[in-house]
């Protein structure tokens, strides 16, 4: 029944695609489309939550559509239900935000038809139960999101972002296509139920692992395949950015788990070592990129890269434990990873919606053109502050709980038999702690420069608070972030059916709904955490401090000049800026990793032009991987350019030779 409800809801979303063309030309049309999307997302989230709360038999459906000899298989189990919940809660918040801001969107005709198609594509990926349906849904999701990225297509940076995104998306789809081809083997049956039973041999399994890492990693933002995120997220409308960063990257995580842990099976311990290494490097590189960034939406995009690294660390830990038969420890690591999936989807959606409210009010993404918004947009500032505290892993908010669970799993690594893992896992833990600490610096910079101090531009000076619907969307996410941090036990209880779908485990203490106050993931005698009591401590401490100050301090008012950092000039440009805050860490890390440079351009004697301080940094992924590959592709294209001038006889000969080669390949394969 649940899968039929989801399929009907997706049919409504697909119907919204042509309706979006009609609605874009009418007053109130955008509110209608976003309202329908919000209602569908609420139904889907409720259905997924019902499956998780009452786990039972897997529900499936087969539709007579697609290629004549194939049928479209759909299925909903605990793992897909968990990701359906993640996606549709994010979609609900983004749609409510769109209801408030969509009417002022200048390119509504380029957004409304593709927005419901994007939601439908993501949901279909999670429901697909055969490779054909999965890849078709995956490509629909990619193309719809590409169209949304290109909504403001007249801007040159949008054109570059769209080009890079579509190339990376096609590359990832090709990798997944090859992975499914190897999984199906010569039999050619692409239903997931058949793929589970078949399973490739060890050699092909390695190739499938690498292809899935490329296909899902490129969509999820795994370094060095992350290059599209800092280009596409700023280019897309803000509620679409929230979906792409907070939600679509989680579809890639689902694809990784579904193919590697469910369809491929036979987890090897070195798979975990590989994923942990990639995750740790991704987390550290992502937070360093974010630290040096002065564009608010690009900063948030790089923060997503960092958090995807955390998720990969949790999954890699789970694989390492599972391969060694330590199922309870594997369940803990997978629980931490899935909990962080949920937390990051809420936090990053909240931050992108907050950034969208700032962009809508000021038309500025540059941190150095903002400032003082806490007085002009107090509610947006409060929501962004909660999101910043959560993404910086401050207790008792939700990201702290999931990262704490990951560290608890890391502490179980001495029981692993492989010496490589015994050395690797603590090193990964140290890198994770470093990334989490630097994330605090990143969001002190983001919130401090954007909302505190004095306005640095006329636009920031004239900013006004966002509308009520956008505020309601952010409020919903704030409440979820706070509740998930305080009541960690019930949230983990909801996640457990999804964990049980990928690892058979004994009961893990402290993961039940009865453990509302304390979570003890490694047993009663091990470490335990209570977000509820930490919240009480913070609240009581704050209340006590406020009471002591008001009762004990003098009531006399003293006025004095604000500290001006030693500068006598009273101008907003003399405030601490985004580049100033990043300078120490840029000099420590950036000169080696990012080839960062600082130059001062002094005007000639007698000139009244100002001196200029310029900084540059380069992305090593572009220099080491993508630029050489682009050069090779261009060279090959130049060499085969002459093929377009062949005669018809030579074209026919080429086609015949290609057909013969293909037949030989198929014969050898069988």
């Amino acid at each position: 029944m649940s899968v039929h409800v989801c399929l009907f809801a997706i049919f409504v979303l697909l119907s919204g695609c042509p309706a979006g063309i009609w609605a874009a030309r009418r007053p109130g049309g955008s509110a209608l489309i976003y309202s329908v999307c919000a209602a569908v997302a609420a139904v889907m989230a409720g259905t997924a939550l019902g499956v998780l709360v009452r786990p039972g038999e897997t529900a499936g459906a087969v539709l007579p559509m697609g290629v004549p000899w194939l049928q479209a298989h759909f299925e909903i189990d605990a793992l897909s239900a968990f990701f359906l919940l993640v996606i549709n809660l994010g979609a609900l918040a983004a749609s409510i935000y769109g209801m408030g801001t969509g009417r002022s969107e200048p390119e509504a005709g380029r957004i409304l038809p593709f927005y419901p198609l994007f939601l439908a594509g993501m949901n279909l990926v999670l429901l697909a139960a055969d490779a054909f349906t999965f890849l078709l849904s995956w490509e629909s999701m990619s193309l719809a999101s590409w169209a949304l990225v290109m909504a403001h297509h007249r801007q040159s940076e949008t054109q570059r972002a769209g080009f890079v995104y579509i190339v990376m998306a096609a590359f990832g789809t090709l990798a997944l296509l090859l992975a499914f081809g190897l999984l199906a083997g010569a039999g050619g049956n692409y239903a997931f139920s058949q793929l589970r039973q078949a399973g490739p041999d060890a050699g092909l399994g390695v190739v499938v692992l690498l292809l899935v890492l490329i296909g899902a990693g490129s969509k999820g933002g795994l370094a060095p395949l992350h290059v599209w995120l800092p280009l596409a997220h700023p280019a897309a409308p803000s509620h679409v950015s929230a979906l792409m960063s907070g939600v679509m990257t989680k579809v890639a995580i689902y694809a990784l788990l579904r193919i590697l842990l469910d369809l491929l099976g036979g987890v090897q311990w070195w798979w975990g070592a590989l994923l942990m290494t990639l995750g740790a490097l991704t987390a550290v590189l992502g937070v360093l990129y974010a630290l040096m960034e002065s564009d608010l939406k690009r900063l948030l995009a790089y923060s997503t890269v960092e958090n995807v690294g955390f998720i990969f660390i949790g999954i890699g830990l789970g694989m390492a434990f599972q391969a060694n038969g330590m199922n309870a420890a594997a369940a803990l690591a997978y629980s931490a990873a899935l909990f962080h999936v949920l937390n990051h989807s809420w936090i990053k959606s909240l931050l992108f919606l907050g950034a969208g409210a700032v962009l809508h009010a000021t038309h500025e993404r540059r941190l150095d053109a903002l400032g003082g918004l806490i007085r002009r947009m107090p509610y947006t500032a409060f929501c962004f502050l909660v999101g910043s505290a959560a993404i910086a892993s401050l207790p008792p908010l939700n990201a702290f709980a999931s990262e704490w669970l990951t560290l608890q799993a890391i502490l179980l690594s001495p029981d692993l038999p492989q010496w490589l893992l015994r050395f690797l896992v603590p090193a990964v833990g140290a890198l994770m702690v470093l990334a989490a600490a630097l994330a605090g610096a990143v969001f002190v910079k983001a919130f401090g420069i954007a909302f505190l101090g004095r306005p640095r531009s006329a636009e920031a000076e004239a900013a006004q608070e966002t509308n009520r619907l956008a505020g309601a969307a952010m409020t919903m996410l704030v409440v979820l972030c706070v509740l998930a941090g305080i009541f960690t036990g019930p949230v983990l209880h909801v996640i457990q059916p999804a964990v049980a779908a990928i690892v058979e485990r004994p009961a893990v203490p402290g993961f039940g709904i009865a453990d509302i106050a304390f979570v003890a993931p490694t047993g009663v005698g091990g470490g335990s955490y209570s977000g509820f009591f930490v919240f009480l401590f913070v609240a009581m401490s704050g209340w006590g401090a406020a009471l002591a100050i008001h009762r004990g301090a003098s009531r006399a008012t003293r006025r004095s000049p604000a500290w001006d950092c030693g500068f006598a000039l009273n101008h907003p440009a003399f405030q601490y800026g985004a580049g100033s805050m990043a300078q120490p860490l840029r000099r420590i890390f950036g000169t080696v990793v990012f080839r960062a440079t600082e130059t001062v351009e002094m005007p000639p004697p007698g000139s009244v032009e100002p001196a200029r301080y310029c900084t540059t940094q380069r992305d090593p992924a572009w220099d080491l991987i993508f630029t050489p590959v682009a050069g090779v592709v261009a060279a090959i294209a130049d060499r085969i350019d002459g093929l377009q001038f062949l005669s018809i006889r030579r074209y026919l000969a080429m086609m015949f030779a290609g057909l013969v080669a293909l037949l030989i390949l198929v014969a050898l394969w069988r």
Side-chain angles (χ1 to χ4, degrees):
M1 182 63 184
S2 53
V3 71
H4 293 93
V5 172
C6 292
L7 288 175
F8 178 76
I10 291 172
F11 173 76
V12 174
L13 287 176
L14 293 175
S15 303
C17 183
I21 302 173
W22 170 84
R25 301 174 181 173
R26 284 161 177 79
S30 64
L32 174 64
I33 295 297
Y34 288 122
S35 300
V36 172
C37 291
V40 169
V43 170
M44 296 279 283
T47 305
L49 185 61
V51 173
L52 289 171
V53 173
R54 297 189 299 273
E57 295 291 329
T58 299
V62 179
L63 297 183
M65 55 188 292
V67 182
W69 60 90
L70 292 176
Q71 292 177 316
H73 298 77
F74 299 97
E75 190 175 86
I76 181 168
D77 59 7
L79 184 63
S80 55
F82 169 73
F83 280 90
L84 281 171
L85 181 65
V86 171
I87 285 175
N88 287 289
L89 285 177
L92 176 60
S95 301
I96 295 173
Y97 182 90
M99 290 163 61
T101 61
R103 60 179 179 272
S104 59
E105 172 57 49
E107 300 286 356
R110 292 182 173 273
I111 297 175
L112 293 181
F114 300 108
Y115 184 82
L117 182 62
F118 181 36
L119 298 184
M122 289 192 292
N123 282 297
L124 280 172
V125 169
L126 304 183
L127 293 174
D130 64 73
F132 177 77
T133 308
F134 183 96
L135 289 172
L136 186 64
S137 307
W138 183 276
E139 197 62 10
S140 300
M141 173 185 72
S142 299
L143 291 176
S145 54
W146 171 78
L148 291 169
V149 168
M150 292 294 291
H152 304 144
H153 64 287
R154 294 181 180 84
Q155 301 172 7
S156 59
E157 63 176 9
T158 299
Q159 295 171 7
R160 181 168 182 260
F163 174 73
V164 173
Y165 179 56
I166 197 66
V167 169
M168 293 298 295
F171 181 63
T173 305
L174 176 63
L176 290 179
L177 175 65
L178 294 175
F180 278 118
L182 292 175
L183 279 172
N189 194 323
Y190 290 93
F192 284 177
S193 57
Q194 299 296 320
L195 295 180
R196 287 189 190 98
Q197 297 175 4
D201 57 37
L204 288 180
V206 175
V207 180
V208 170
L209 169 67
L210 297 177
L211 288 172
V212 172
L213 279 178
I214 294 172
S218 63
K219 184 68 75 181
L222 185 69
L225 304 171
H226 64 281
V227 292
W228 66 271
L229 273 88
L231 297 175
H233 289 354
S238 294
H239 59 303
V240 176
S241 303
L243 285 176
M244 293 181 70
S245 186
V247 172
M248 189 179 72
T249 53
K250 309 309 177 296
V251 179
I253 301 295
Y254 167 80
L256 181 92
L257 293 174
R258 176 64 74 188
I259 297 175
L260 292 186
L261 299 182
D262 183 21
L263 303 182
L264 184 57
V267 175
Q268 305 293 317
W269 67 268
W270 64 267
W271 294 10
L274 177 62
L275 262 68
M276 277 189 282
T277 305
L278 290 174
L281 293 176
T282 300
V284 174
L285 286 175
V287 76
L288 288 177
Y289 284 127
L291 194 60
M292 292 185 290
E293 190 55 63
S294 59
D295 182 304
L296 182 56
K297 291 183 75 174
R298 285 172 64 90
L299 180 150
L300 296 179
Y302 279 128
S303 170
T304 294
V305 174
E306 175 214 352
N307 283 275
V308 166
F310 288 165
I311 295 168
F312 268 78
I313 289 173
I315 295 172
L317 267 174
M319 287 182 172
F321 288 130
Q322 188 177 4
N324 286 290
M326 301 167 62
N327 285 351
L332 173 59
Y334 288 137
S335 299
L338 293 185
F339 193 19
H340 202 70
V341 163
L342 189 67
N343 291 335
H344 181 255
S345 71
W346 292 342
I347 299 170
K348 196 46 62 69
S349 298
L350 170 62
L351 290 171
F352 264 109
L353 296 185
V358 170
L359 180 60
H360 189 259
T362 64
H363 306 286
E364 278 288 355
R365 298 195 321 246
R366 296 173 298 146
L367 286 171
D368 287 333
L370 300 174
L373 295 180
I374 194 170
R375 298 180 184 85
R376 290 153 185 82
M377 306 175 68
Y379 192 74
T380 300
F382 168 74
C383 294
F384 198 91
L385 178 62
V386 174
S388 299
I391 203 74
S393 308
L394 295 183
L397 297 172
N398 51 347
F400 173 81
S402 54
E403 292 181 20
W404 176 81
L405 283 175
T406 307
L407 291 175
Q408 290 293 309
I410 288 174
L411 293 178
L412 299 176
S413 63
D415 294 334
L416 289 167
Q418 292 84 14
W419 64 267
L420 176 61
L421 290 176
R422 291 180 185 174
F423 284 100
L424 177 65
V425 175
V428 166
L431 290 175
M432 181 179 167
V433 172
L434 172 66
L438 291 177
V442 169
F443 283 92
V444 166
K445 179 182 80 171
F447 182 81
I449 302 300
F451 291 96
L452 302 182
R454 298 170 60 191
R456 296 174 174 81
S457 64
E459 291 79 7
E461 178 75 34
Q464 295 183 349
E465 185 58 275
T466 189
N467 59 71
R468 292 183 178 180
L469 284 170
M474 291 189 285
T475 303
M476 168 189 156
L477 295 169
V478 165
V479 171
L480 289 174
C481 291
V482 174
L483 290 181
I486 296 175
F487 302 108
T488 304
V491 177
L492 288 171
H493 177 75
V494 172
I495 293 174
Q496 287 315 292
V499 176
I502 53 181
V503 58
E504 295 179 1
R505 62 171 184 85
V508 179
F511 274 25
I513 197 167
D515 305 290
I516 294 176
F518 284 92
V519 175
T522 57
V524 178
S528 60
Y529 170 72
S530 173
F532 179 69
F533 283 103
V534 171
F535 171 74
L536 281 182
F537 174 77
V538 172
M540 295 298 291
S541 300
W543 178 78
L547 187 65
I549 290 172
H550 282 281
R551 294 287 178 87
S554 170
R555 295 182 179 277
T557 302
R558 292 188 303 169
R559 295 185 180 277
S560 62
W563 181 48
D564 57 7
C565 302
F567 292 100
L569 294 178
N570 185 21
H571 192 279
F574 283 89
Q575 297 177 111
Y576 217 50
S580 312
M581 293 193 72
Q583 187 194 53
L585 290 170
R586 184 175 59 243
R587 288 181 174 176
I588 295 172
F589 298 104
T591 52
V592 177
V593 181
F594 305 107
R595 295 166 57 189
T597 61
E598 300 176 4
T599 57
V600 178
E601 300 175 1
M602 296 298 294
S607 173
V608 295
E609 294 183 355
R612 297 184 185 279
Y613 172 74
C614 304
T615 63
T616 61
Q617 59 260 348
R618 299 183 63 82
D619 189 335
W622 282 108
D623 293 344
L624 299 177
I625 300 176
F626 294 102
T627 302
V629 169
V632 171
V633 171
I636 295 174
D638 288 340
R639 288 187 177 274
I640 64 175
D641 181 62
L643 291 179
Q644 62 180 319
F645 303 110
L646 296 179
S647 63
I648 294 179
R649 186 167 55 188
R650 289 185 176 180
Y651 275 129
L652 291 175
M654 283 181 55
M655 293 173 62
F656 180 74
L659 181 61
V660 170
L662 184 61
L663 290 173
I664 292 173
L665 182 64
V666 171
L668 292 174
W669 178 263
R670 289 181 176 276

